[in-house]
Amino acid sequence: MRLKLLFLSCLLLIFICTSAFTQDEAVVADSLETTAETISPAPATSLTAIDKPDDHGHGIDLSWELSADDGGGLMSVMGYMIYRATSPDGSYEARSGLLLNVTAYSDVGAMNEGENDYMPDYTDYYYKVRALTTDSAVFADSEILGPVQSFGQWFNWKRLSVLLLVAGFLFLTVYFIQKAKGGAKLFVRRLAGIEAVDEAIGRATEMGKPILYVLGLGTAADIATIASYTILSRVAKKVAEYQTGLIVPCYDPIVMAIAQETVKTSYMNAGRADAYNEDMVYFVTNQQFAYVAGVNGVMLRDRPATNIYMGKFYAESLILAETGVAAGSIQIAGTDEISQIPFFVVACDYTLIGEELYAASAYLGKEPLLLGSLKAQDYAKACLIFLAIIGFITLMFGYHGIVDFFHVAG
Amino acid sequence: MDRSRRISLIIFAGIIILFILSWIIKSTTLLNVGTESLLSIRDAFFITFAAFLTLAIFSFLYKDNPYYKFAEHLFVGVSAAYWMCVGFWSTFVGNFIPKVSTTLSNFFEVPPKEFDIFYFIPLILGLMLLMRLSPKGGWLSRWSLAFIVGTTAGLNLIRYLRTDFITQVSNTFIPLLVDWNGIGPFFSDFSLSASGQFVMTLGNWVIFIGVFSGLIYFFFSKEHKGFFGHASRVGIWVLMITFGASFGYTVMGRVSLLVGRLTFLFKDWLGLIS
Amino acid sequence: MKRQVPVLITFIVGTVLILSVFFPPAERLGEDFSIFFDIIAVFAFFLGGGNLLRIHFGKVYQKREDWGFSIVTLCGFAIMMMAGLFKLWNPGGIAADVAAPGSLFQLMYDWIFNPLGASMYSLLAFYVASASYRAFRAKNIDATILLIAAFVILLGRTPLGMYVTSWVPESFSILQIPNLAIWIMVSPNLAGQRAIMIGIALGVVSMSLRLILGVERTYLGVDNE
Amino acid sequence: MSDIGLILSIGVIVVGLLWLTIRSLTGREVERRIIFLFIGISVAIPLLFNITVSEKATPIVKGIYDKVENLPSGSKILISFDYGPSMAPEVEPMSDAFLRHALAKGHKVFIMGLWATGQSLGAAAVDKIVKPEFPDKVDGVDYINIGYKAGNQGVLNVIITDFRKMYATDVNGVDLDSVEIFENIRSLKDMDLILCVGGGFPGIKEWVLFAADPGNIPLAGGSAAVATPLLYPYYPKQLIGLLGGIKGAAEYESEMKKNYPRFADMPTPGLNMMGPQTLAHMVVMAFIVIGNLSFFFAKRRKK
């Protein structure tokens, strides 16, 4: 409890401090009274230009105030264009298209020499904003502003809150893993879907029928798929012990490679390396519905006693699950694809909802290291709820610090 | 020859006859429209074949049968090759070749780009992955798997934290009292519009309580008892509404897909509707 | 060595990618790595294609059940592969888009791949009905809530919902079924979605950290410690 | 003649459902194949007899319509075709409507796709809509199709800073540096509006995460109904508007028909599809009722 408070207050303190950070100082140009021609509009005023913050250079942020004749006065200004030169009286080139009703623009160029539109850093630039009317011959230039230079930053301050969250989470995870290593008992609630897995394997063994394990449509780039390997390894180990059949049709070749590795290891760990067969884990095809057609075929022809769906699923979820129902299999599903959870909930016997899928991989092992990270996750949730409630209260009193903290611009 | 075999042969013969009939009729109709003769015969074949495949898939609703098996196996083969070809031309030839070899770029007639030594990293990792196929070098493939998983972990961590986590949380900061103008106006308008204060306020409360009770349901290291038990119970109800609503909302999209298929059958194949 | 190196690679790659987000000079690493990933995926196609051929040739060779259909798969694969790699019938030759109109690749796509995919997908119209018949029953409180929410939304998506409740005055328009359906979608539904989303985000972060720290390593075919 | 057919077939559905309802009072279950049959009939009949219903635009749809309408003529609108043929019946009406509306309003249209299949669908849309209906529009000046690149959201990651790093040419092999429409375009950030039409992965969500959010670019979209509820959290902050499923498309179409005389006779696949939808929804609801009836009466009997 003390730790929780400490952590929270640290977090609070840090972002209150950071919200006090100030930006680079801007070069400000005073407005200039133009001796206007009879129909020439008023120019844009208060032009400012600073290096674009939080980038890798090659960008300058401009801002100005609307011409008095834009939306008022003569009502003649249609829009603005940005012009740039490398000396105050050099030749100015247009740097933007027509900008309508805006007062800010980022002039960003290419980063590498030789590219079109290359914009070197540490070079003096001079800017002016031109207020345009519908008549291309009638316009007004603002005062020339400069010199301004662009340069790169080493750190993106806009993303500080993200970094703090990562650091906080890392801290919690490492802390609880250490605690778990030290032998502390960590409670984890029951996950019905996972407990059903063992039961379902037993049933398949009794019936002498195989188990179908579907890793879904995820690629190796999906965390859900990676979580699914852990569950697969557990299932494979049990299956090896019980000498039941296992069928793992795959959608992605890389996923297939990893799944083969996982199943093979599980069989070896169960001491039944001899029972492992390369054809248990195989590639079907890399197209959603062709894959479904293939898996449907397996369901009706090999009649697996249990179908386990874990990973990323899209529209095919219900086709799979309903075919499984027709085939009379017990079905356990888990996915983090929110739009498909309802279909699994409706058609399957057990469903792991979203986060439960990741938790399952930790839960299954009951290893202290993995459980420690679950605990960290819960603490993060608690912190979040706590912060949010404080946020609401402070918001009522007009303090926006907490809300802003969660608003990441860049 | 037993009875069931004879029946399935009769069905098979019937389908063949219907197929040829459809092919001939379709060819003549296409010819009448003014299509070139060879093209019309080709297109008529393809349309008939596509209609046959569609019906073969639908037959699965009744039960598994050889026609579904045929369609399924054809689909698997064709689709596997499709993605390989697209990946080869667009990623390998399109993105990789121009960066590493001018000769190969010229061979494939793609414009070569500036040579980039870093593109040998995926080449090496890709080849390592293929080492799986050799009995001894399998362990090398783990290196590229490790690279893939590392990339996944690194990219996803930040991505989810930035958008799903931070944005969703910040979207939850909504006023719990919308434009308060006193009790009178508050209870006078129960409409779903910007003027309906009551409904908007109620909606915001539901979101607020729903999100947090939902999150409490996902607590793993606390037993769902007492306060946690009640809160997670509410959480489950909110999730149930979500699931029911999402399901009901989806029916429309699914029916549209069937409409699309039936339109193909009625319009493009049978010409029943215009 | 065989075990430590992969874990180390994951650690380094993951950490570098995380840090690159915060340091503008390294910002483009994420981009480059995404491209690398795709290129590796192309190599993996060989694994997939090889495996597919092995499985189906095996079936044909051993004359296992339904081996005749495996020949269909092999033929489909071979023809599509040749059509794509050699750009057969492609009016533009090798430089043209692989799916240029008129090419064999595109024809097979239009008349085989496409109808099959669309038909498979449209089976969902039937399954949605059979699933709702079976599952939407007032068995207990949870199931009843599920049922009511689904029913209101279904009503709200048809003109029927409007006819049933059109007598409700405008100042109570929330009680009109289509509006109620929208309200369910944007309030309780959104709350549930958001709770799941936030949970998933935390789960992903936690899982990613486990991977980067090397705590979770089943994917390497190595048992967790 | 068609009226007789219509009445007859609706009669068959109603009588069939009534019979099943009465049967369910004895607690008997309906076999799934019967449900399949009813769904099939209820979709086929309105299609054959062409029954339509009228629609009114909801604010979330109107949001997009007004945005396209209020952008000054000549604005740059990118339409991304992020779907495959299997999803096309549901979302193609949306991309068609967007394309028509944007061109009619005189905007510059950029077509691309994050799905391999999107490239040819984009090209098909150009052949089907732009060439016959807008003969004065010139490829490379008023519109361009830059096609598909592999890499899913990775593509967005790249083109948000630089189009040319991913795309050297358009689909016809024309160098992007040589076309007028691309003259002042460097990255996605130069777009005035992005319209994403999709419903799977990658789709609108990826556009929000990797383009609209980091680049602060106005984004709206059309989505398959299944993915739509998921996108509500992004509306109205990160998404200007959203067409949800075929109903959204129908609303957009009716809005266009109402305001543009030239579109009075345009094909309205969205509106046409609402007939089968209505009947199919009613059948699904009827089966939910039947299911509950048989459940309750079966339970009673047990007692």
Side-chain angles (χ1 to χ4, degrees):
Chain A
M1 195 59 213
R2 213 179 304 153
L3 182 94
K4 214 192 300 183
L5 279 176
L6 194 74
F7 172 70
L8 283 175
S9 38
C10 280
L11 255 186
L12 271 169
L13 203 73
I14 294 171
F15 74 71
I16 291 169
C17 293
T18 50
S19 57
F21 265 90
T22 47
Q23 299 287 4
D24 310 30
E25 246 176 63
V27 187
V28 181
D30 285 323
S31 65
L32 190 78
E33 285 295 315
T34 41
T35 45
E37 290 173 24
T38 44
I39 35 171
S40 181
T45 55
S46 311
L47 180 61
T48 68
I50 54 167
D51 167 57
K52 190 172 163 57
D54 303 319
D55 69 348
H56 187 32
H58 315 283
I60 290 174
D61 274 354
L62 297 154
S63 76
W64 59 91
E65 272 169 28
L66 292 182
S67 152
D69 294 323
D70 188 351
L74 296 171
M75 300 282 281
S76 58
V77 172
M78 182 178 66
Y80 304 86
M81 275 172 87
I82 310 293
Y83 284 81
R84 187 184 76 187
T86 43
S87 67
D89 33 49
S91 70
Y92 281 83
E93 52 168 333
R95 293 293 300 166
S96 72
L98 185 63
L99 307 167
L100 299 147
N101 201 29
V102 289
T103 58
Y105 183 76
S106 292
D107 179 23
V108 181
M111 292 192 186
N112 300 317
E113 213 168 341
E115 272 185 78
N116 246 347
D117 194 30
Y118 173 57
M119 181 170 168
D121 280 344
Y122 302 108
T123 307
D124 284 346
Y125 285 115
Y126 296 85
Y127 284 94
K128 63 183 180 188
V129 175
R130 178 168 292 177
L132 295 147
T133 63
T134 42
D135 182 350
S136 61
V138 182
F139 54 81
D141 284 344
S142 71
E143 190 199 337
I144 289 163
L145 176 72
V148 209
Q149 293 187 338
S150 71
F151 48 89
Q153 281 75 34
W154 283 100
F155 189 79
N156 188 341
W157 287 103
K158 280 186 203 146
R159 292 181 181 161
L160 182 67
S161 53
V162 179
L163 184 64
L164 287 177
L165 284 171
V166 174
F169 210 97
L170 182 69
F171 169 76
L172 279 176
T173 307
V174 173
Y175 174 81
F176 281 107
I177 287 180
Q178 288 304 329
K179 206 171 158 185
K181 267 187 182 165
K185 269 225 175 279
L186 299 175
F187 171 84
V188 175
R189 81 166 155 91
R190 220 171 75 84
L191 283 171
I194 280 303
E195 288 182 358
V197 167
D198 283 351
E199 199 182 301
I201 297 172
R203 180 172 174 260
T205 315
E206 274 168 33
M207 295 169 72
K209 285 181 178 174
I211 286 179
L212 177 72
Y213 193 101
V214 183
L215 283 151
L217 256 54
T219 63
D222 287 304
I223 295 286
T225 315
I226 296 178
S228 186
Y229 299 136
T230 317
I231 302 173
L232 172 62
S233 85
R234 159 81 163 210
V235 170
K237 202 168 164 186
K238 282 268 170 206
V239 162
E241 281 164 9
Y242 291 168
Q243 306 194 34
T244 314
L246 179 66
I247 309 171
V248 188
C250 294
Y251 168 81
D252 183 284
I254 299 181
V255 170
M256 175 198 75
I258 302 179
Q260 282 173 341
E261 203 76 27
T262 310
V263 172
K264 199 168 161 187
T265 315
S266 298
Y267 268 73
M268 271 170 6
N269 289 344
R272 300 209 37 97
D274 52 310
Y276 174 73
N277 173 356
E278 274 277 287
D279 291 352
M280 284 174 174
V281 183
Y282 61 95
F283 174 73
V284 181
T285 176
N286 212 341
Q287 205 276 338
Q288 186 178 15
F289 292 106
Y291 175 75
V292 177
V295 177
N296 269 359
V298 173
M299 279 187 207
L300 289 189
R301 283 158 224 154
D302 296 336
R303 296 262 162 193
T306 305
N307 303 334
I308 303 177
Y309 314 104
M310 298 279 171
K312 272 258 178 244
F313 288 87
Y314 298 98
E316 73 286 355
S317 62
L318 191 66
I319 304 186
L320 292 173
E322 279 293 298
T323 310
V325 168
S329 315
I330 283 198
Q331 308 199 87
I332 303 167
T335 184
D336 69 349
E337 186 56 38
I338 304 175
S339 57
Q340 302 306 324
I341 298 172
F343 301 111
F344 278 143
V345 167
V346 162
C348 292
D349 300 283
Y350 299 94
T351 308
L352 296 173
I353 301 165
E355 198 186 355
E356 290 179 330
L357 171 64
Y358 309 122
S361 78
Y363 176 80
L364 267 178
K366 287 257 160 70
E367 289 143 19
L369 298 182
L370 298 175
L371 292 182
S373 75
L374 269 192
K375 192 91 184 158
Q377 218 168 307
D378 278 0
Y379 268 85
K381 259 172 267 171
C383 291
L384 171 71
I385 295 176
F386 181 74
L387 266 183
I389 291 171
I390 301 222
F392 275 111
I393 296 169
T394 53
L395 200 58
M396 279 183 204
F397 293 105
Y399 174 70
H400 286 260
I402 294 181
V403 180
D404 291 344
F405 178 73
F406 282 105
H407 187 81
V408 180
Chain B
M1 207 192 284
D2 58 18
R3 217 182 104 114
S4 68
R5 201 178 156 80
R6 206 177 321 153
I7 291 176
S8 54
L9 264 180
I10 291 171
I11 293 176
F12 181 68
I15 288 174
I16 296 274
I17 291 168
L18 281 177
F19 189 98
I20 293 171
L21 219 65
S22 152
W23 186 4
I24 293 169
I25 296 172
K26 201 76 207 168
S27 304
T28 45
T29 40
L30 282 178
L31 266 176
N32 288 342
V33 182
T35 322
E36 200 186 314
S37 61
L38 212 64
L39 267 183
S40 67
I41 292 171
R42 187 191 80 180
D43 287 354
F45 173 79
F46 275 131
I47 289 178
T48 309
F49 192 55
F52 163 72
L53 290 177
T54 304
L55 292 173
I57 294 285
F58 282 165
S59 72
F60 182 72
L61 288 171
Y62 185 68
K63 66 175 195 191
D64 191 23
N65 62 69
Y67 303 98
Y68 174 76
K69 279 186 200 171
F70 173 80
E72 171 206 322
H73 281 83
L74 181 67
F75 197 10
V76 166
V78 168
S79 63
Y82 177 83
W83 286 107
M84 284 174 203
C85 292
V86 169
F88 175 78
W89 287 109
S90 86
T91 306
F92 193 74
V93 175
N95 282 342
F96 177 67
I97 297 271
K99 286 279 192 183
V100 292
S101 162
T102 325
T103 330
L104 281 175
S105 308
N106 290 337
F107 176 76
F108 286 113
E109 298 183 26
V110 283
K113 286 185 195 156
E114 208 180 325
F115 177 78
D116 194 339
I117 188 96
F118 283 108
Y119 275 72
F120 280 98
I121 298 176
L123 177 70
I124 293 167
L125 289 170
L127 291 175
M128 277 178 161
L129 192 67
L130 292 184
M131 291 299 282
R132 296 187 58 74
L133 298 174
S134 92
K136 286 222 169 135
W139 59 277
L140 262 178
S141 74
R142 286 184 193 160
W143 290 24
S144 45
L145 297 183
F147 174 86
I148 290 169
V149 172
T151 314
T152 303
L155 285 179
N156 279 313
L157 190 147
I158 295 294
R159 185 168 300 156
Y160 275 86
L161 204 59
R162 267 182 75 188
T163 305
D164 274 9
F165 182 76
I166 295 188
T167 316
Q168 290 310 323
V169 172
S170 86
N171 278 346
T172 309
F173 287 113
I174 39 179
L176 291 182
L177 201 54
V178 183
D179 308 327
W180 181 250
N181 292 321
I183 294 180
F186 186 76
F187 286 110
S188 67
D189 191 346
F190 296 93
S191 68
L192 183 72
S193 66
S195 65
Q197 264 184 31
F198 177 82
V199 173
M200 277 166 72
T201 306
L202 179 72
N204 287 358
W205 274 93
V206 167
I207 291 176
F208 183 71
I209 293 171
V211 169
F212 293 124
S213 59
L215 276 179
I216 287 173
Y217 167 75
F218 286 116
F219 266 74
F220 296 109
S221 60
K222 268 265 184 281
E223 208 152 356
H224 287 172
K225 275 183 183 166
F227 169 75
F228 272 90
H230 293 301
S232 70
R233 198 81 208 115
V234 175
I236 291 177
W237 292 342
V238 173
L239 291 182
M240 283 299 152
I241 297 180
T242 305
F243 298 151
S246 305
F247 191 106
Y249 195 82
T250 316
V251 173
M252 185 157 270
R254 303 315 191 209
V255 172
S256 303
L257 299 164
L258 181 58
V259 170
R261 272 344 272 164
L262 291 184
T263 310
F264 167 74
L265 289 180
F266 292 156
K267 191 170 120 189
D268 301 338
W269 183 44
L270 296 174
L272 287 176
I273 50 175
S274 52
Chain C
M1 171 75 175
K2 281 185 185 179
R3 285 171 180 224
Q4 265 108 45
V5 173
V7 176
L8 199 67
I9 291 177
T10 309
F11 176 75
I12 293 171
V13 172
T15 315
V16 165
L17 277 182
I18 290 174
L19 292 180
S20 75
V21 174
F22 303 105
F23 300 99
E27 222 167 24
R28 292 193 168 194
L29 267 181
E31 252 170 59
D32 291 336
F33 276 45
S34 305
I35 296 178
F36 289 179
F37 194 103
D38 292 331
I39 295 171
I40 298 177
V42 173
F43 283 93
F45 281 155
F46 286 100
L47 282 184
N51 189 273
L52 180 117
L53 293 177
R54 205 171 61 87
I55 293 277
H56 288 281
F57 269 122
K59 264 192 188 169
V60 175
Y61 184 73
Q62 294 166 9
K63 296 249 161 85
R64 265 189 280 164
E65 205 191 333
D66 287 339
W67 62 272
F69 292 105
S70 286
I71 295 180
V72 175
T73 301
L74 291 170
C75 289
F77 184 79
I79 297 173
M80 195 68 174
M81 205 70 187
M82 286 197 286
L85 288 187
F86 303 120
K87 300 197 172 172
L88 297 179
W89 302 6
N90 196 318
I94 195 165
D97 181 16
V98 59
S103 62
L104 181 61
F105 192 73
Q106 186 62 18
L107 278 175
M108 288 186 64
Y109 176 81
D110 281 346
W111 297 109
I112 296 176
F113 183 101
N114 179 4
L116 281 169
S119 306
M120 235 13 242
Y121 197 2
S122 66
L123 289 184
L124 275 171
F126 300 99
Y127 288 145
V128 147
S130 63
S132 49
Y133 168 75
R134 203 183 56 249
F136 290 142
R137 297 195 176 178
K139 288 177 203 155
N140 50 41
I141 298 179
D142 294 0
T144 312
I145 293 175
L146 189 78
L147 160 73
I148 293 173
F151 207 82
V152 169
I153 299 288
L154 279 170
L155 259 181
R157 299 287 281 169
T158 58
L160 192 69
M162 198 65 223
Y163 294 132
V164 174
T165 48
S166 57
W167 52 271
V168 176
E170 205 43 45
S171 58
F172 281 87
S173 69
I174 181 67
L175 294 177
Q176 291 170 351
I177 299 264
N179 287 337
L180 190 61
I182 293 175
W183 185 81
I184 290 180
M185 289 311 287
V186 295
S187 293
N189 172 58
L190 188 128
Q193 304 258 9
R194 200 169 270 171
I196 301 175
M197 251 167 150
I198 293 174
I200 287 174
L202 284 173
V204 167
V205 173
S206 168
M207 185 84 186
S208 302
L209 277 180
R210 294 205 293 263
L211 290 167
I212 291 170
L213 294 176
V215 178
E216 177 114 32
R217 47 174 87 162
T218 350
Y219 66 93
L220 291 173
V222 182
D223 236 10
N224 292 329
E225 277 173 41
Chain D
M1 182 60 207
S2 73
D3 285 347
I4 298 171
L6 178 68
I7 293 165
L8 234 139
S9 27
I10 302 247
V12 169
I13 294 181
V14 173
V15 171
L17 285 174
L18 270 177
W19 177 67
L20 288 174
T21 313
I22 294 166
R23 220 178 64 124
S24 70
L25 296 182
T26 58
R28 267 192 286 179
E29 296 285 346
V30 182
E31 212 218 331
R32 43 196 276 131
R33 286 174 202 167
I34 295 181
I35 303 177
F36 294 159
L37 185 70
F38 270 88
I39 289 291
I41 296 176
S42 69
V43 173
I45 287 169
L47 208 58
L48 285 170
F49 299 105
N50 200 16
I51 307 169
T52 52
V53 279
S54 58
E55 293 287 339
K56 189 176 173 298
T58 44
I60 194 163
V61 172
K62 199 89 171 42
I64 310 181
Y65 184 86
D66 290 345
K67 177 78 186 177
V68 176
E69 200 62 27
N70 295 336
L71 277 175
S73 173
S75 298
K76 286 152 265 185
I77 297 186
L78 181 127
I79 304 179
S80 186
F81 286 66
D82 303 335
Y83 58 90
S86 45
M87 211 190 291
E90 194 184 356
V91 296
E92 198 174 65
M94 302 175 190
S95 49
D96 287 0
F98 287 154
L99 193 56
R100 279 201 180 93
H101 191 193
L103 286 173
K105 194 63 196 146
H107 298 313
K108 309 263 182 215
V109 177
F110 300 74
I111 295 169
M112 62 171 279
L114 291 180
W115 285 40
T117 45
Q119 175 164 331
S120 43
L121 286 163
V126 168
D127 288 337
K128 186 179 72 181
I129 294 168
V130 183
K131 285 177 183 162
E133 293 180 32
F134 300 89
D136 52 322
K137 301 284 179 189
V138 183
D139 191 352
V141 179
D142 301 297
Y143 67 90
I144 191 167
N145 181 3
I146 56 174
Y148 158 81
K149 287 283 172 200
N152 297 337
Q153 67 275 53
V155 174
L156 299 183
N157 236 352
V158 177
I159 61 175
I160 191 154
T161 49
D162 195 349
F163 264 114
R164 289 168 178 86
K165 217 173 165 188
M166 259 290 167
Y167 290 96
T169 64
D170 75 352
V171 283
N172 303 317
V174 181
D175 195 339
L176 286 194
D177 286 325
S178 71
V179 290
E180 190 184 321
I181 194 168
F182 250 94
E183 249 165 33
N184 284 315
I185 307 285
R186 219 184 118 66
S187 69
L188 275 181
K189 291 177 191 160
D190 296 312
M191 294 293 152
D192 296 304
L193 176 64
I194 297 173
L195 295 167
C196 164
V197 181
F201 171 86
I204 295 177
K205 186 175 173 193
E206 282 64 39
W207 277 97
V208 173
L209 299 194
F210 296 94
D213 243 15
N216 245 332
I217 313 161
L219 172 73
S223 164
V226 60
T228 311
L230 203 65
L231 296 166
Y232 267 100
Y234 298 123
Y235 170 80
K237 262 192 189 164
Q238 290 143 295
L239 272 177
I240 293 169
L242 189 63
L243 305 188
I246 204 68
K247 192 164 194 282
E251 289 173 22
Y252 203 92
E253 282 169 1
S254 62
E255 198 68 15
M256 278 170 68
K257 270 186 113 153
K258 203 170 72 189
N259 297 321
Y260 280 85
R262 69 176 291 182
F263 291 138
D265 296 320
M266 73 170 187
T268 51
L271 283 169
N272 291 351
M273 221 189 267
M274 282 309 288
Q277 288 293 355
T278 307
L279 202 56
H281 273 73
M282 289 183 189
V283 168
V284 171
M285 284 188 282
F287 275 112
I288 293 178
V289 172
I290 293 171
N292 276 289
L293 281 178
S294 52
F295 171 69
F296 273 111
F297 282 94
K299 209 162 79 171
R300 254 200 182 171
R301 283 185 143 200
K302 266 187 197 162
K303 279 180 187 168

